[in-house]
Amino acid sequence: MSASSVVSWSVWARGLVGLSPTERLVVFELARLADCRGVVITSIGHLVGMTGRSRRAIFEALASLEGAGRISREARRVA
C-alpha cells in the first residue's frame, strides 16, 4: 500500500458535515480506533465512557450514522 492510498480516518471524520454533537463524538472516537481498513471493534460501553453520552444516545447516533451511509455495522456476539 502506498502512502497516498492510506486513509486518515480523523481527516475523514473532520470532513463530515451535518452531524449532531453526539454523532460527532461517536464518529471521532470510531475514527481514533479505526485500523487501516477502517474497521473498528469496540463496545457500546466504551463509546459511552469516551463520549459521556447515554447508551440510548450512542445507539441512536450509530443508527443515524448507519442510516445516512456514513458507517456500516456488523452484529457480533460475545459468548
Side-chain angles (χ1 to χ4, degrees), residues 24-47:
R24 183 157 299 284
L25 288 170
V26 169
V27 161
F28 274 97
E29 184 58 18
L30 295 175
R32 189 183 73 76
L33 297 171
D35 67 12
C36 62
R37 299 167 297 157
V39 174
V40 177
I41 299 174
T42 191
S43 67
I44 297 299
H46 174 81
L47 293 173

Side-chain angles (χ1 to χ4, degrees), residues 47-63:
L47 293 173
V48 167
M50 295 304 292
T51 64
R53 303 298 203 232
S54 68
R55 288 179 58 84
R56 180 177 180 164
I58 297 299
F59 278 114
E60 288 173 354
L62 290 171

